[in-house]
């Protein structure tokens, strides 16, 4: 894909400009190819992992059916188990669950099920710095691969954008979309491979009444085309409630109603409960489920729902079910190349961020160059030049690290969502991220190094320049990898409480945000910054402290101190820079005439002063840095894997962290 400036961003093609009418059956070529897939679950039970048996039980043996061609709403008060049920049905949680889940009468195979479903989560997270058309085309490349030609992909994208009323926004950068448009774009991205099952976690949260109504209308249209559309929803209006074909109400982990939206009031009347006139049935049933009218009433509804709304078995032909299993996985290299293109476009568009980084490196180059002005070839200031080498290592420790600590935790949420919906393998994302970061780190490091190297008067020899620059590049890559590793285990608190503010707290027309939402949002940002800024330097400070042991001390270090010292990559980097500057037969440095005593003009004396009898072995230090870089890359890959599919150890650590937070 071409790199198109933001101001002149054009869509992939103009396509069809007019929105489809609600009942236009002719042009639904892509979205109408749908085999029926029904979900049935029986006696589902789920409790918080690690809790005692019977305690923290979230789902208490609930059962139900969600059929194709129907738009289903899962209702319930906060803490009732709506999101938990949705996560379990979508396969987001599939361990430590009792009960059965059947797809078209067959026991669910979780891997096969993920191929035919998508999960659109509550947060309106979309890839930044892309136009709507570009985001859709990248999604098509990742989901459809080479099964369809570019012309066919464009036709698919046009149809989806027209169906979801996004054709007028096809050239708009995703960051500038309204809340409703972002939600529709999230749905559009998942429709590219035409999944028969769509899960949505509170799709109307954060939207005003009009946007919420439009969103639900679109979901209703998709359901009418044969999909199974299931969403949890918080306090829908009466107008929105009528658009649902099926309503499933949960109270304290148990089902108290499962039937059509129009039958809520008659159902309540049949068990002796009268809904007040001019009262929203959704609000009334939620008040009942929260216990405002007594828990005896809830128990009565739990008993009645089994008799008045029995679950009948579903039987579908196996051939019909197999239609949705024949989408082969996209080749790894195709995923990798598409992700590289997408990241490059995003990097190109985010000019201000790159300019800020460049200005920072220029600023640091001038400041540090000014501090060590012309010391590189001055024998009387050789020890100060040693400080310059140490300063360069510190620059390439923190400057690559801090932006990643602030930015990457948010990107992980996007990666987790896309990976869960089978956009790409995690390894393809990992290597794309690695490859894209190499040129920008080299360019930024080169800007700084050229400035400081010339300003400080270091030896202008190609060999020494290559050795000095290469060492700094390796240290920069190691620091970057450490930062990604730290950021990969940070939980992003800013997922955001702002999104959780309902439409009554948001006035989309003038972007006014309630004071409570602002407070939650700022607090979440503060926590994220606090975790990032504190954890990174706190973990890397010991690397600095142990690396400088023995410098200036003629006494030999104990064996355990030597082992600890050489764990730090900073030690190898520092030795390599000193060897590059003063090793390999460098002659005595000239001293100013006014200097009467100038002992450090001899490189051998410099090595003795820092505790070395001879010059450090440069290539051995470089080999150590390469090995450490490979180890850090392997750790990063492992941590990213655990963030997506945590093993029991990581699950226990996460549980312990959650318990500690609760007690604090």
């Amino acid at each position: 894909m071409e790199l198109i400036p933001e101001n002149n961003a054009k869509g992939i093609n103009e396509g069809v400009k007019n929105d489809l009418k609600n009942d236009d059956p002719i042009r639904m070529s892509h979205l109408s190819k749908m085999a029926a897939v029904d979900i049935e679950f029986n006696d589902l039970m789920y409790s918080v992992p690690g809790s005692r048996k019977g305690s923290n039980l979230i789902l208490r043996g609930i059962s139900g059916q969600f059929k194709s061609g129907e738009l289903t709403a899962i209702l319930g008060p906060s803490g009732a188990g709506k999101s938990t049920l949705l996560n379990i049905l979508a396969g987001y949680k599939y361990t430590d669950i009792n009960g059965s889940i059947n797809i078209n009468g067959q026991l669910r195979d979780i891997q096969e099920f993920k191929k035919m479903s998508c999960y659109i989560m509550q947060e309106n997270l979309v890839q930044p710095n892309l136009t709507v058309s570009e985001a859709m085309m990248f999604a098509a490349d990742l989901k459809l691969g080479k099964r369809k030609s570019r012309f066919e992909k464009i036709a698919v994208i046009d149809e989806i954008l027209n169906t979801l009323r996004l054709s007028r926004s096809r050239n708009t950068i995703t960051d500038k979309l309204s809340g409703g448009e972002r939600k529709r774009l999230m749905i559009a991205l998942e429709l590219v491979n035409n999944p028969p099952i769509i899960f949505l976690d509170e799709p109307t949260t954060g939207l005003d009444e009009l946007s919420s109504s439009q969103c639900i209308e679109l979901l209703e249209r998709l359901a009418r085309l044969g999909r199974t559309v299931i969403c949890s929803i918080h306090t829908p209006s009466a107008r929105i409630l009528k658009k649902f074909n099926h309503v499933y109400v949960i109270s304290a982990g148990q089902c108290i109603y499962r039937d059509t939206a129009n039958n809520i009031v008659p159902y309540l009347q049949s068990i002796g409960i009268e809904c007040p006139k001019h009262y929203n049935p959704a609000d009334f049933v939620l008040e009942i489920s929260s216990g405002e009218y007594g828990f005896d009433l809830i128990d009565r509804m739990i008993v009645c729902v089994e008799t008045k709304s029995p679950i009948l078995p579903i039987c579908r032909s196996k051939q019909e079910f197999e239609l949705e299993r024949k989408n082969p996985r996209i080749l790894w290299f195709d995923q990798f190349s598409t992700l590289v293109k997408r990241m490059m476009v995003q990097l190109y568009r985010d000019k201000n961020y790159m300019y800020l980084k460049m200005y920072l490196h220029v600023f640091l180059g001038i400041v540090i160059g000014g501090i060590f002005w012309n010391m590189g070839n001055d024998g009387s200031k050789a020890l100060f030049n040693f400080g310059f080498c140490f300063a360069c290592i510190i620059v390439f420790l923190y400057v690559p690290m801090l932006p990643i600590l602030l930015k990457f935790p948010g990107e992980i949420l996007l990666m987790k969502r896309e990976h869960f919906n089978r956009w790409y393998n995690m390894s393809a994302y990992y290597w794309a991220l690695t490859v894209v970061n190499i040129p920008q780190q080299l360019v930024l490091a080169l800007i700084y190094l050229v400035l400081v190297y010339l300003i400080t008067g270091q030896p202008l020899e190609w060999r020494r320049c290559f050795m000095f620059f290469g060492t700094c590049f390796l240290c920069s890559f190691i620091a970057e990898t450490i930062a990604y590793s730290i950021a990969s285990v940070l939980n992003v608190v800013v997922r955001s409480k702002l999104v959780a503010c309902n439409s009554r707290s948001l006035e989309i027309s003038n972007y006014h945000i309630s004071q409570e939402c602002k407070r939650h949002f700022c607090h979440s940002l503060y926590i994220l910054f606090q975790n990032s800024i504190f954890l990174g330097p706190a973990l890397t400070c010991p690397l600095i402290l142990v690396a400088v042991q023995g410098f200036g001390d003629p006494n030999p270090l104990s064996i355990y101190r030597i082992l600890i010292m050489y764990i730090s990559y900073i030690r190898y980097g520092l030795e390599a820079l000193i060897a590059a500057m003063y090793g390999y037969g460098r002659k005595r440095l000239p001293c100013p005439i006014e200097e009467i005593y100038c002992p450090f003009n001899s490189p051998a004396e410099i090595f003795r002063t820092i505790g070395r009898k001879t010059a450090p072995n440069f290539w051995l230090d470089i080999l150590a840095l390469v090995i450490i870089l490979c180890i850090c890359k392997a750790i990063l890959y492992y941590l990213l894997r655990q963030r997506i599919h945590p093993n029991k150890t990581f699950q226990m650590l996460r549980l312990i962290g959650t318990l500690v937070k609760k007690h604090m």
Side-chain angles (χ1 to χ4, degrees):
M1 180 165 291
E2 298 179 355
L3 302 183
I4 308 171
E6 178 178 336
N7 294 334
N8 297 319
K10 295 183 178 179
I12 299 164
N13 79 324
E14 291 303 320
V16 182
K17 295 298 183 181
N18 298 323
D19 293 337
L20 288 176
K21 302 295 182 182
N22 285 341
D23 298 317
D24 186 358
I26 298 174
R27 307 203 15 222
M28 292 295 186
S29 57
H30 173 70
L31 298 179
S32 60
K33 296 176 182 178
M34 189 57 53
V37 179
D38 299 328
I39 301 175
E40 179 181 330
F41 53 97
N42 295 286
D43 299 322
L44 283 185
M45 298 187 69
Y46 179 79
S47 59
V48 177
S51 61
R52 295 190 303 274
K53 188 175 181 180
S55 65
N56 291 329
L57 196 61
I58 299 177
L59 299 182
R60 304 171 183 270
I62 62 175
S63 303
Q65 286 179 345
F66 299 146
K67 299 179 181 179
S68 66
E70 292 184 349
L71 174 60
T72 299
I74 302 176
L75 299 180
S78 298
K82 302 189 303 294
S83 295
T84 301
L85 175 60
L86 201 66
N87 289 338
I88 290 173
L89 294 179
Y92 200 67
K93 293 178 181 177
Y94 55 89
T95 57
D96 302 320
I97 300 167
N98 294 323
S100 64
I101 301 175
N102 297 324
I103 308 299
N104 284 1
Q106 305 174 42
L107 193 64
R108 181 178 72 172
D109 182 333
I110 188 63
Q111 297 303 323
E112 293 293 334
F113 180 74
K114 287 183 178 180
K115 295 178 183 179
M116 65 182 72
S117 64
C118 68
Y119 189 11
I120 300 171
M121 301 179 187
Q122 181 179 349
E123 298 84 4
N124 290 342
L125 296 174
V126 292
Q127 290 291 342
N129 302 315
L130 297 174
T131 65
V132 170
S133 291
E134 289 169 344
M136 290 293 293
M137 180 54 78
F138 282 124
D141 290 338
L142 290 168
K143 287 169 170 279
L144 303 177
K146 296 180 180 179
R147 297 199 307 267
K148 291 184 180 291
S149 65
R150 185 174 179 83
F151 177 79
E152 291 175 316
K153 290 176 185 176
I154 290 173
V156 167
I157 291 170
D158 286 339
E159 181 180 333
I160 294 173
L161 293 182
N162 285 317
T163 302
L164 300 186
R165 294 201 293 270
L166 283 171
S167 58
R168 295 179 181 177
S169 304
R170 63 171 61 243
N171 298 327
T172 304
I173 300 295
T174 56
D175 299 335
K176 298 179 180 179
L177 294 175
S178 67
E181 288 173 330
R182 287 170 71 90
K183 182 66 70 176
R184 279 180 277 156
L185 176 59
M186 290 178 63
I187 298 172
L189 293 170
E190 300 301 339
L191 289 179
V192 167
N193 61 334
N194 201 13
I197 307 173
I198 303 175
F199 296 94
L200 302 101
D201 187 11
E202 301 198 12
T204 60
T205 298
L207 304 181
D208 60 8
E209 179 66 22
L210 179 59
S211 299
S212 299
S213 180
Q214 291 175 342
C215 180
I216 299 302
E217 284 177 3
L218 292 171
L219 295 177
E220 184 185 15
R221 290 182 63 197
L222 294 174
R224 287 205 307 268
L225 292 171
R227 286 173 184 78
T228 306
V229 183
I230 307 163
C231 58
S232 63
I233 190 165
H234 185 68
T235 59
S237 65
R239 178 187 175 190
I240 291 177
L241 183 66
K242 290 181 180 179
K243 299 181 186 298
F244 289 97
N245 308 112
H246 183 243
V247 176
Y248 192 91
V249 184
I250 301 177
S251 175
Q254 294 179 289
C255 178
I256 62 173
Y257 180 80
R258 54 181 185 230
D259 206 340
T260 63
N262 295 329
N263 198 40
I264 292 178
V265 175
Y267 173 81
L268 294 175
Q269 290 173 345
S270 68
I271 58 176
I273 306 170
E274 191 67 34
C275 178
K277 292 182 179 179
H278 310 297
Y279 206 89
N280 181 5
D283 290 340
F284 185 63
V285 77
L286 286 175
E287 290 175 2
I288 293 174
S289 61
S290 61
E292 290 191 14
Y293 295 88
F295 292 98
D296 292 339
L297 188 56
I298 295 176
D299 295 336
R300 195 196 318 168
M301 293 183 70
I302 292 171
V303 174
C304 290
V305 76
E306 297 296 335
T307 57
K308 294 182 179 294
S309 303
I311 297 177
L312 302 177
I314 300 174
C315 293
R316 296 278 184 189
S317 66
K318 191 173 182 181
Q319 291 76 12
E320 186 179 23
F321 184 43
E322 291 290 337
L323 288 175
E324 303 305 328
R325 294 185 175 181
K326 296 180 180 179
N327 289 331
R329 191 79 174 183
I330 307 304
L331 294 176
W332 185 93
F333 183 78
D334 291 338
Q335 296 177 9
F336 168 77
S337 59
T338 302
L339 288 170
V340 168
K341 291 176 185 177
R342 189 176 74 175
M343 291 178 183
M344 290 298 293
V345 171
Q346 291 174 305
L347 189 64
Y348 176 81
R349 289 270 172 78
D350 201 0
K351 294 186 180 69
N352 292 334
Y353 181 64
M354 286 303 299
Y355 288 154
L356 184 62
K357 279 186 169 183
M358 290 180 181
Y359 295 151
L360 176 62
H361 282 77
V362 170
F363 173 76
L364 289 175
I366 294 173
V367 170
I368 293 177
I371 293 173
F372 299 97
W373 170 265
N374 208 26
M375 293 182 181
N377 204 34
D378 190 337
S380 64
K381 298 177 181 178
L383 286 182
F384 295 103
N385 203 43
F386 168 79
F388 162 71
C389 295
F390 188 68
C392 288
I393 294 292
I394 300 303
V395 166
F396 288 112
L397 170 62
Y398 287 116
V399 173
M401 177 179 289
L402 295 181
I404 294 171
L405 291 174
L406 292 175
K407 192 174 182 181
F408 192 61
E411 294 178 4
I412 287 183
L413 293 180
L414 273 168
M415 185 269 289
K416 284 184 65 177
R417 190 202 73 193
E418 293 177 343
H419 175 77
F420 178 79
N421 288 327
R422 297 178 59 84
W423 287 38
Y424 46 75
N425 291 331
M426 203 280 291
S427 59
Y429 174 85
Y430 168 80
W431 284 110
L433 184 69
T434 300
V435 169
V436 168
N437 281 329
I438 290 175
Q440 63 168 317
Q441 285 294 341
L442 291 177
V443 169
L444 293 172
L446 199 61
I447 292 173
Y448 167 82
L449 288 172
V450 169
L451 280 171
V452 295
Y453 201 87
L454 295 176
I455 294 174
T456 56
Q458 304 301 328
L460 297 178
E461 303 174 22
W462 285 112
R463 182 184 183 186
R464 297 188 189 279
C465 287
F466 173 79
M467 294 165 69
F468 191 92
F469 283 34
T471 303
C472 290
F473 290 154
L474 278 175
C475 291
S476 174
F477 292 141
I478 293 173
E480 175 193 64
T481 308
I482 292 173
Y484 277 119
S485 299
I486 295 172
S488 66
V489 298
L490 288 176
N491 285 322
V492 182
V493 186
V494 63
R495 46 185 292 214
S496 73
K497 300 270 185 172
L498 177 65
V499 175
C501 299
N502 58 32
S503 58
R504 296 174 188 172
S505 301
L506 295 173
E507 295 176 14
I508 304 299
S509 58
N510 57 5
Y511 298 93
H512 171 72
I513 305 174
S514 69
Q515 292 300 318
E516 182 181 2
C517 292
K518 286 182 180 179
R519 178 168 52 82
H520 283 311
F521 182 67
C522 293
H523 177 68
S524 299
L525 282 175
Y526 170 73
I527 294 296
L528 175 60
F529 292 158
Q530 186 184 51
N531 290 341
S532 302
I533 298 299
F534 171 77
L535 194 57
L539 292 177
T540 53
C541 274
L543 296 177
I544 302 172
L545 297 176
V546 301
V548 294
Q549 292 185 94
F551 284 142
D553 187 359
N555 299 319
L557 298 175
S558 58
I559 184 65
Y560 80 91
R561 290 184 66 185
I562 293 176
L563 291 175
I564 294 175
M565 176 177 66
Y566 280 103
I567 290 175
S568 172
Y569 84 91
I570 294 177
R571 179 74 182 200
Y572 297 104
L574 200 52
E575 287 186 357
L577 291 183
I578 295 170
M581 291 295 96
Y582 298 107
Y584 295 92
R586 186 172 182 181
K587 298 179 180 179
R588 286 179 173 270
L589 280 69
C591 291
I593 300 176
E594 62 271 13
E595 291 288 340
I596 300 175
Y597 181 68
C598 188
F600 297 115
N601 65 338
S602 170
E605 186 63 30
I606 295 173
F607 296 139
R608 281 194 294 271
T609 303
I610 64 174
R612 301 279 309 202
K613 294 181 180 179
T614 58
N617 189 322
F618 174 81
W619 296 110
L620 189 62
D621 288 326
I622 290 296
L623 177 61
L625 288 175
V626 171
I627 293 173
I628 291 173
L629 177 60
C630 293
I631 293 172
C632 290
K633 288 291 184 183
I635 292 173
L636 171 59
Y637 183 80
Y638 175 75
L639 292 175
L640 286 175
R641 293 279 308 177
Q642 293 306 315
R643 187 66 186 268
I644 296 172
H645 302 295
N647 56 26
K648 291 184 178 180
T649 302
F650 272 76
Q651 289 176 357
M652 185 58 65
L653 290 174
R654 188 174 297 176
L655 177 62
I656 292 172
T658 303
L659 293 175
V660 170
K661 288 178 182 178
K662 286 183 178 179
H663 287 294
M664 292 178 64

